[in-house]
Amino acid sequence: MEQRTLGRTGRDVSVVGLGTWQLGADWGNVNELEALDVLDAAADSGVTFFDTADVYGDGRSEQRIAAWRRANPSWNGTVATKMIRRAPRPSMRYASIENFRDWTDRSRRNLGVDTLDLVQLHCPTDDVFASDSVFDDLDTLVDEGAIAAYGVSVETCAQALSAIARPNLASVQIVFNAFRQKPLEHVLPAARRAGVGIIARVPLASGLLSGRYTADTTFADDDHRSFNRSGSAFDIGETFSGVDFTTGVEAAAEFARLAREHGIEPAQAALAWVIEQPGVTSVIPGARSEQQAASNARAAEVGALPKELTAAITALYDEKIRPQVHHRW
């Protein structure tokens, strides 16, 4: 699989990575054996980048990755984790060097490593991005050897642009997909100029872009696609990319039709669309089965989409999706 350098980390990672939120919590139950099988399938398909967080299952996702790595010591990939959302509120009130040390120490234990490859601030409030002391503290963690590099995971393009201005920032993780195209305007060009990596999360709009859902599709009670549709648990933009489900299903059906007209499965077309955008380093779809992990990885083989298809995707976004999401994030 194609490898790209992840910004200022200097590490090469696969263009299709694996998001592991679902291996910890909030996507319905995934048991440990199933989680290990997903990691196996991803690695066997050439994935060299796993993304996790300390709050995914209260550390369960990190621990499952650690267990898998113990059984697969030859895998020489990169694991990114996140911190700050263990706080009651991810704000400056809790953004101290003491908390940063506690959280990174816990992740180091969970992942079974001395130095974390990449730690990302996990969608904190705006005041955290504006604080010089926060980034000074992150530099201190690098100097101390607790982390090799740091980045941010953001909710808005404005937060991304604020972070990109920091001189030692390695990467930005942002919701970016065919139904969330605003990062194309300013974030991706700014990241390219600064040498900052872009990690595209929620690339399938929580599964909408797979083309498998209908208006009657239901999800488990412990799946955020059930409990966070109104944004009651966390930012609504993390669930279906902030698109109303009914609108999303209708638009996704059209997306699927367009992709299949060109002989491409919808999910792979959606991932390939992200991969080919200038500035993107890696796209991190989640997977709850071996088959999903392998299928997602095959998106790296699709190559450049036909121009007629990319034009149609843009038109679909402009007509159906832009009015709901473009002004919000």
Side-chain angles (χ1 to χ4, degrees), residues 17-46:
L18 177 69
T20 65
W21 181 9
Q22 77 289 349
L23 303 188
D26 295 337
W27 289 80
N29 182 56
V30 176
N31 66 41
E32 182 155 4
L33 287 178
E34 290 170 332
L36 297 177
D37 286 345
V38 167
L39 294 165
D40 273 338
D44 288 346
S45 299

Side-chain angles (χ1 to χ4, degrees), residues 15 21 23 30 35 48 62 82 87 90 123 162 170-171 199-200 254 304 314:
V15 292
W21 181 9
L23 303 188
V30 176
T48 61
E62 290 179 327
K82 308 182 193 75
C123 297
S162 174
S171 62
I199 303 165
E254 176 64 9
T314 299

Side-chain angles (χ1 to χ4, degrees), residues 28-110:
N29 182 56
V30 176
N31 66 41
E32 182 155 4
L33 287 178
E34 290 170 332
L36 297 177
D37 286 345
V38 167
L39 294 165
D40 273 338
D44 288 346
S45 299
V47 169
T48 61
F49 183 52
F50 297 157
D51 178 82
T52 186
D54 58 357
V55 292
Y56 294 167
D58 194 27
R60 186 182 306 118
S61 175
E62 290 179 327
Q63 292 162 4
R64 287 176 170 175
I65 290 171
W68 181 85
R69 293 194 77 175
R70 286 193 295 272
N72 295 271
S74 63
W75 185 78
N76 191 29
T78 296
V79 177
T81 191
K82 308 182 193 75
M83 68 175 180
I84 205 173
R85 297 199 75 89
R86 293 186 62 74
R89 179 171 167 76
S91 65
M92 275 305 297
R93 179 177 179 183
Y94 301 99
S96 66
I97 187 66
E98 293 80 15
N99 282 338
F100 288 173
R101 285 193 178 110
D102 286 346
W103 294 327
T104 54
D105 285 350
R106 183 177 186 271
S107 289
R108 289 159 68 196
R109 291 192 298 271
N110 282 343

Side-chain angles (χ1 to χ4, degrees), residues 1-2 14-18 41-47 267-268 271 275 283 285-287 290-302:
M1 188 185 298
E2 180 188 353
S14 52
V15 292
V16 178
L18 177 69
D44 288 346
S45 299
V47 169
Q268 293 179 357
L271 296 175
I275 291 168
V283 58
E290 298 171 79
Q291 293 77 16
Q292 284 181 343
S295 178
N296 289 340
R298 286 195 292 274
E301 303 169 5
V302 171

Side-chain angles (χ1 to χ4, degrees), residues 238-261:
E238 304 287 341
T239 300
F240 302 126
S241 296
V243 180
D244 169 76
F245 186 66
T246 300
T247 302
V249 165
E250 293 173 356
E254 176 64 9
F255 182 94
R257 183 188 68 79
L258 292 167
R260 288 179 174 132
E261 280 184 354

Side-chain angles (χ1 to χ4, degrees), residues 202-213:
V202 198
L204 297 177
S206 304
L208 275 177
L209 286 163
S210 69
R212 295 184 290 108
Y213 301 159

